[in-house]
Amino acid sequence: MTLVLTLGLSASLAHAGKVLDGIKQRGELRCGVSTGVVGFSAPESGSRWKGLDVDVCKAIAAAVLGKPEKVNYTPLNSQQRFAALQSGQVDLLSRNTSWTLTRDASLGFHFVAVTYFDGQGFLIPKKLKVTSARQLKGAQVCVQAGTTTEKNVADYSRRYQLNLKPVVYETFEAAFKAFFSGRCQAYTTDVSGLASVRNKEAPKPDDYLILPELISKEPLGPMIRRGDDEWLAVVRWTVYALLEAEELGLTQANIDKRQTEADPAIQRFVGRGEHMGKLLGLDKDWALRAVKAVGNYGEVYERNVGQGSTLKLPRGQNRLWNQGGLMYPPPFR
């Protein structure tokens, strides 16, 4: 049963909020990204960045500023990322960060939405002839400091009495380089990161195997500072717009043509029906611009980490809810 509420004029236009006002005044979104995780956020050439997390930043810039290229990317390692967001150095953190209770409740941030459901795993050399993480008893495991990864591997080791010996490095790069040099028998991080590292950094990618076990839940997504509900709504609903577009079959290539269709859901989405943008402090074309900039979520996924990428990760639980996955945009009403 749906209860329909009539909004008064005072609620018909959202106050823009301090962060959104600042972005509009400077004409640029400041986005914190990783120092280089292929498929999520990695530098290509000069100031160009590519990846799923990068496309989230581009979609938001398109929705807010009308120009997806108006993003200043700040590469941040695991130790720098939270301080940069707390200090206001960046407006948004979009860099493969896991949503946990501690981070959500104690850092002064809001996790906005999940853009990738992941899980932690192990990468090993095939020559070890190991087929399960339970066979790694006593192994040295390279891991990055200051991450959920470090805590998860300790928990997993205790739970199954594996006596794993973490070899901890300050940076992502140092950890995987140590592994490939033979310092550790295994390397652990999110499976998406393992696929990225194996593809890009391994001397011979076919010599390495990602073990089948997932030892944790790692819902990844963008974060913002608390205290600006208007900015929270803009970022959250831009992410949901990419999911809604996929559900409606709207793509980067067809959205211009399909915006004249009579379907009321499409009319609302492109701003030709109800003006949803004004509730976010944006104009009526905000969602249309986001999709034109990067495509719908399915396109973003396939291009960066799916079959159209070098990683070729299966869509799995990142499929839409009506295709057996976990991705579920709330109603655009």
Side-chain angles (χ1 to χ4, degrees):
M1 182 176 179
T2 302
L3 176 64
V4 179
L5 300 179
T6 302
L7 300 177
L9 288 176
S10 62
S12 64
L13 183 61
H15 170 61
K18 184 169 67 174
V19 176
L20 185 57
D21 280 342
I23 293 167
K24 288 179 176 179
Q25 287 169 10
R26 83 173 80 95
E28 181 181 73
L29 171 68
R30 299 178 303 197
C31 201
V33 292
S34 74
T35 53
V37 178
V38 171
F40 289 85
S41 51
E44 284 192 303
S45 58
S47 59
R48 287 175 54 85
W49 284 76
K50 182 180 179 180
L52 188 150
D53 290 334
V54 170
D55 279 349
V56 170
C57 298
K58 289 180 178 179
I60 294 166
V64 172
L65 299 171
K67 297 179 179 180
E69 71 276 9
K70 291 296 184 180
V71 184
N72 185 334
Y73 298 101
T74 300
L76 301 166
N77 64 30
S78 295
Q79 289 73 36
Q80 297 167 329
R81 55 183 165 175
F82 299 135
L85 184 58
Q86 285 167 336
S87 69
Q89 180 184 352
V90 295
D91 305 309
L92 169 75
L93 195 63
S94 185
R95 59 157 325 282
N96 58 306
T97 299
S98 298
W99 191 340
T100 69
L101 186 153
T102 301
R103 290 172 175 176
D104 197 38
S106 67
L107 296 178
F109 301 144
H110 279 303
F111 277 88
V112 175
V114 177
T115 52
Y116 190 90
F117 287 98
D118 209 344
Q120 185 175 332
F122 294 92
L123 182 68
I124 63 159
K126 287 181 180 178
K127 66 183 180 182
L128 285 186
K129 300 189 183 303
V130 167
T131 58
S132 167
R134 306 274 184 93
Q135 297 173 299
L136 290 174
K137 196 165 186 176
Q140 293 180 314
V141 181
C142 286
V143 62
Q144 185 181 0
T147 61
T148 57
T149 309
E150 186 180 5
K151 296 177 181 178
N152 291 338
V153 75
D155 287 351
Y156 186 75
S157 179
R158 284 195 297 270
R159 184 178 303 124
Y160 295 106
Q161 300 179 338
L162 296 177
N163 192 30
L164 297 176
K165 298 176 174 62
V167 182
V168 181
Y169 294 89
E170 285 298 311
T171 67
F172 175 68
E173 185 177 44
F176 70 68
K177 284 188 173 180
F179 167 68
F180 288 126
S181 73
R183 176 67 180 82
C184 308
Q185 286 80 51
Y187 170 59
T188 186
T189 189
D190 297 345
V191 168
S192 60
L194 297 180
S196 174
V197 163
R198 180 177 62 178
N199 179 272
K200 183 183 177 185
E201 306 293 342
K204 294 182 179 179
D206 287 343
D207 289 347
Y208 295 86
L209 171 72
I210 298 174
L211 294 175
E213 292 93 344
L214 293 181
I215 70 169
S216 70
K217 296 179 292 185
E218 304 295 334
L220 310 180
M223 305 172 70
I224 64 164
R225 291 182 298 280
R226 288 190 181 183
D228 193 325
D229 290 344
E230 291 78 18
W231 179 231
L232 171 64
V234 168
V235 177
R236 173 173 288 160
W237 284 97
T238 302
V239 172
Y240 288 150
L242 303 183
L243 291 167
E244 178 77 359
E246 183 178 9
E247 192 171 320
L248 293 173
L250 299 173
T251 69
Q252 193 173 30
N254 73 19
I255 193 169
D256 273 336
K257 182 178 180 180
R258 295 194 60 198
Q259 65 178 298
T260 58
E261 290 183 14
D263 184 336
I266 292 177
Q267 290 294 292
R268 278 193 301 274
F269 188 86
V270 300
R272 287 177 173 262
E274 299 170 57
H275 187 345
M276 310 301 288
K278 65 184 176 183
L279 302 175
L280 301 172
L282 303 175
D283 64 24
K284 65 183 180 62
D285 295 326
W286 67 281
L288 182 149
R289 287 197 302 269
V291 176
K292 287 184 68 172
V294 301
N296 64 40
Y297 178 80
E299 292 178 284
V300 170
Y301 185 99
E302 293 303 325
R303 178 172 64 246
N304 291 300
V305 300
Q307 297 308 304
S309 75
T310 57
L311 300 185
K312 301 193 182 306
L313 294 173
R315 183 85 182 260
Q317 57 195 350
N318 292 294
R319 294 191 298 265
L320 291 179
W321 65 280
N322 54 6
Q323 298 171 6
L326 300 177
M327 289 296 184
Y328 187 108
F332 268 62
R333 292 190 168 276

